[in-house]
Amino acid sequence: MPTTDTVRAIEWRVDHLALLDQRLLPDEERWLRLTTVQEVAAAIRDMVVRGAPAIGITAAFGVVLAAHQHYAQTPGRWRDTIQDDLGLLLDARPTAVNLRWSVERMTGLLTDISTDPTQILLAEAQRIHAEDIAANLHMGELGSRLIAPGSGVLTHCNAGSLATGGYGTALGVIRSAWSEQCIDRVYADETRPWLQGSRLTAWELLRDGIPVQLVVEGAASALMAGGHIDWVIVGADRIAANGDIANKVGTCNLAIIARHFGVRTMVVAPLSTIDMACPSGKDIPIEMRAADEVLGFAGRSVAAQGATAWNPVFDITPAALVDVIVTERGVIQDPVKEKLIKLMR
Ligand code: MRU
């Protein structure tokens, strides 16, 4: 295990799910104890846990808690009574396809279970968690091979240990490339309005001994024009069949600017983020969140009284602006539909 890998935010502890409350970082490290599927759905919706793979893993443990509850209450009919709670999980956030992927993987087991489902489902959720970490470590290796010594990189939002089972997707590549001494400079967008960059990415990189410089989103052109970075490295919430990428709003801006200045864009995501049923980015549902998140900050208003806000939390980067997609099954240069079909076969 590389030494730059100390952060974990999701743990199953005997009979409950423990989540590091990401809303409080970096000021406070508080673990929440979740014992019901309702609490799990609320934790996903309210951003206690966020990041596509982390949401998927959390939902898998949510299915365990739901099955345990329903089997205890109605042992003869638990497969029927659980359905509303599965819907609750699926509706918690719309864009990250990992949520649906993991709930479907878990529910695929239900028909064959004839006794108490808890242990069988728990084993599957733990497998999903472990496989995600293994995928990230492998993607870290694959992605870091593309980065020449002396490089500078810019990342957006948080696609790290906190956003996954551990190690991270984009930050996994940065961790590996840093360990290989290929990266000299790491920049992170602060990522308004939730500040996943300045609160979370900076926290976990610094904790693992990787220095990071924060920039406001508007500094991206200046950074690239100045020759400070060679790669934009980001994660994804969903990748459509044609290679379009849904990721934290602002990702498309970076890809456009990067193309202009000859900087390359790398998207790092596990297969569970690829949705071949979604033909293009136009078909990906984009989550809209409350205007208050933009109008206020840390509990106080920062906007002129009467201003309103438009708050989409993801955007679509066209495949044509993506140089490389890194998955645990391999790297796709210049993604197009045919290459994704081949990868997913
Ligand atoms: O709103 P968030 O914080 O859940 O958004 C997270 C992102 O956009 C990440 O970049 C994405 O989920 C990939 S995480 C490996």
Side-chain angles (χ1 to χ4, degrees):
M1 185 74 64
T3 53
T4 54
D5 181 25
T6 64
V7 175
R8 292 291 180 270
I10 304 170
E11 281 179 20
W12 180 263
R13 296 182 186 164
V14 188
D15 58 354
H16 68 274
L17 180 64
L19 293 178
L20 181 58
D21 189 342
Q22 300 192 28
R23 299 167 303 182
L24 305 179
L25 291 172
D27 298 332
E28 192 184 335
E29 288 174 44
R30 187 192 301 168
W31 286 81
L32 300 185
R33 182 179 199 279
L34 281 60
T35 57
T36 67
V37 61
Q38 288 79 9
E39 288 170 345
V40 172
I44 294 172
R45 191 189 59 230
D46 299 340
M47 307 281 283
V48 168
V49 57
R50 26 66 50 205
I55 291 171
I57 294 160
T58 301
F61 287 112
V63 175
V64 176
L65 291 171
H68 181 69
Q69 266 166 252
H70 285 277
Y71 185 78
Q73 284 158 5
T74 51
R77 291 195 317 115
W78 67 273
R79 274 190 209 80
D80 299 326
T81 59
I82 197 176
Q83 295 304 325
D84 284 353
D85 284 344
L86 298 178
L88 199 65
L89 281 174
L90 287 168
D91 291 343
R93 289 191 77 189
T95 304
V97 73
N98 309 61
L99 175 58
R100 193 186 71 205
W101 174 87
S102 95
V103 171
E104 283 177 358
R105 178 163 157 180
M106 296 293 288
T107 51
L109 298 179
L110 298 191
T111 40
D112 293 335
I113 301 175
S114 51
T115 52
D116 184 340
T118 313
Q119 289 312 317
I120 294 172
L121 292 176
L122 177 58
E124 187 68 1
Q126 286 171 327
R127 247 190 309 274
I128 289 174
H129 192 175
E131 285 171 13
D132 184 68
I133 298 172
N136 292 337
L137 288 165
H138 189 46
M139 291 188 289
E141 249 178 71
L142 296 178
S144 70
R145 284 187 207 149
L146 304 170
I147 300 175
S151 292
V153 300
L154 169 65
T155 189
H156 186 57
C157 193
N158 171 266
S161 289
L162 293 169
T164 63
Y167 202 63
T169 55
L171 294 193
V173 169
I174 291 173
R175 282 186 161 90
S176 296
W178 179 265
S179 305
E180 299 291 323
Q181 296 175 346
C182 292
I183 291 182
D184 281 357
R185 301 165 305 284
V186 180
Y187 296 90
D189 271 342
E190 60 176 357
T191 317
R192 277 281 289 155
W194 276 83
L195 301 181
Q196 286 94 332
S198 41
R199 293 189 305 108
L200 307 178
T201 292
W203 179 78
E204 67 165 86
L205 289 181
L206 291 172
R207 172 161 284 222
D208 281 348
I210 302 174
V212 56
Q213 291 190 68
L214 292 170
V215 288
V216 298
E217 266 90 316
S221 297
L223 197 62
M224 296 191 209
H228 301 288
I229 64 165
D230 302 278
W231 285 97
V232 169
I233 307 182
V234 293
D237 279 77
R238 193 183 299 217
I239 300 179
N242 70 345
D244 289 350
I245 308 289
N247 191 49
K248 178 54 58 195
V249 69
T251 301
C252 183
N253 304 22
L254 291 181
I256 292 168
I257 301 167
R259 186 57 58 87
H260 179 81
F261 286 110
V263 168
R264 280 172 295 169
T265 297
M266 182 192 300
V267 175
V268 190
L271 299 177
S272 55
T273 303
I274 299 177
D275 185 0
M276 295 304 280
C278 221
S280 80
K282 286 196 191 75
D283 307 293
I284 299 178
I286 298 294
E287 178 181 5
M288 301 295 298
R289 291 185 71 91
D292 294 357
E293 293 181 354
V294 175
L295 300 174
F297 182 71
R300 72 178 188 92
S301 170
V302 290
Q305 199 76 43
T308 57
W310 182 64
N311 187 20
V313 298
F314 301 101
D315 64 17
I316 303 293
T317 303
L321 292 175
V322 175
D323 293 282
V324 179
I325 297 177
V326 176
T327 75
E328 70 271 37
R329 198 175 281 169
V331 169
I332 298 182
Q333 307 268 358
D334 304 320
V336 286
K337 187 174 172 187
E338 292 64 37
K339 294 184 183 176
L340 273 121
I341 290 174
K342 200 168 159 210
L343 178 87
M344 296 304 280
R345 207 173 275 152

